[in-house]
Amino acid sequence: MKKNIYIIGSGFSALSASCYLAQAGYQVTILEKNKTVGGRARQLLRDGFTFDIGPTWYWMPDVFEKFFSDFNKKPSDFYELEKLDPAYQVYFDEADAITIPGHLEAIYKVFENEEPGSSKHLKAFLKSAAYNYDVSINNLVYKPGASALELVTPETIAKITQFFSTLRSQVRKHIKSKKLIQILEFPVLFLGAKPSNTPAFYNFMNYADFVLGTWHPKGGMYMVIEAMTTLAKSLGVVFKTNANVEEIKVNAQGEVEALIVNGENLETKLVLSGADYHHTETLLPKKYRQYSETYWESKVFAPSSLLFYVGFDKKLERVCHHTLFFDTDFDTHAKSIYDTPEWPEKPLFYASFPSITDASFAPEGNEAGTFLIPLAPGIKDTPQIRDEYFNLIIERLERLTNQKVREHIILKESFCVNDFIKDYNSYKGNAYGLANILTQTAFLRPKIKSKKVKGLFFTGQLTVPGPGVPPSLISGKIASDSILKTYKNEAVI
């Protein structure tokens, strides 16, 4: 008889785990509180426009390839990938932008043009980053975070100083151009931490950026969700949407015994939560929660976000598919996220215009734009504040790119802290989970396997390995491996 498991949530990590568990012979049922699957990577469809609600960057294509290859599939069996060239553009001031090409040799030329001699240092930096990427992907990120000894390998010992120095100090050791420094430091934003707090070892994100490149799945990131859902269904996974888990029932022996879903009692001995870790523990009786409110309050969280989904009735000029606006001070903005949580006075922001690459995102002659401002989680979120910041970034977009766009806006929707809480039960409305700082890395993150409740496991961005889409795919595999190992010789019905 098949072992039964319920998975809470249907984001990348939950879908990943569901596939591995179903392949291993489990009867898997996914419970999704919203009406569509995908978690933070859902899709917004309005008036002929398409928007990825969450992730818009497709980095580390090898991780996606590895996932699908574990099921004798390839990404191309499900969706079409295009490498972006240019990869992205960064604005620093009016008519002052650096465009990052899609190929490494061209990137070296961009660096050399901006700062003579810098390409030599970039090559050395990327050589170190390539080594760290190989060590990370092949030796570290698939570890379950059970022990500090997981980090002790000949390769990590050789790079031990990089765990105690910062990415910021490494980048600034030889590169002097402020613009190039910002370009090299920005990828760690995907890890949810400041460059000054991020171990230098994480320069492997720069390898992902410059060497592996930036890609676009035709139809958007939601095509990856659809691909994983199709794969999961082919393996026998059952999906239930509008299924809100209200309680995890635990028996006197400290074992999972049932879930309460929309008021209905579903008996089960095995649960994997891909939902917010903190929220999941609030579904338990207090004595079975591993981490106190004080614990969560003490953690450094990655940012939340203010997002706008905007439709324009014309094509925009002087922007790329991915465009970053770094015309204000990053450190000042970072302080408002990590040090004294408040709305930033002069925020950096990011914009994605996928319809530049992919006509399916907007009606002919129109443009779809997603704008993102990183914010401190838990701050006040009102319609008035959202409108104030929308006006601020549209004014800067017009000024920096020297074009009028405001009167061409025909669609606008927003998503912020309150929505992250409402739609995802996200702790304080965070968007990316726990920051990947040294004291919250690997075995120092919340555990995959509950220490207090038998049959309860976790996956996603609040546990190992951390924030981001590729890490979420990996987290699903780590969680499934932990479950399979735990119940290898035990019959769980």
Side-chain angles (χ1 to χ4, degrees), residues 7-19 30-34 36-42 55 67 221-222 224-229 232 237 239-241 272-276 423-424 459-461 468-477:
I7 297 181
I8 305 173
S10 64
F12 282 111
S13 60
L15 289 173
S16 170
S18 78
C19 291
I30 283 182
L31 303 170
E32 169 56 54
K33 74 181 285 285
N34 294 305
T36 58
V37 302
R40 284 167 167 78
R42 293 178 299 153
F67 169 77
M221 290 296 288
Y222 193 70
V224 186
I225 291 292
E226 288 196 339
M228 296 178 73
T229 302
V237 177
F239 286 79
K240 293 185 178 182
T241 53
L272 170 63
S273 179
D276 180 271
D423 286 3
Y424 311 128
T459 187
Q461 59 188 10
V469 177
S472 291
L473 294 181
I474 294 167
S475 184
K477 177 165 175 52

Side-chain angles (χ1 to χ4, degrees), residues 111-113 115-122 174-175:
F111 268 63
E112 198 63 25
N113 287 339
E115 180 183 325
S118 63
S119 63
K120 172 188 172 184
H121 300 303
L122 178 60
H174 298 293
I175 304 293

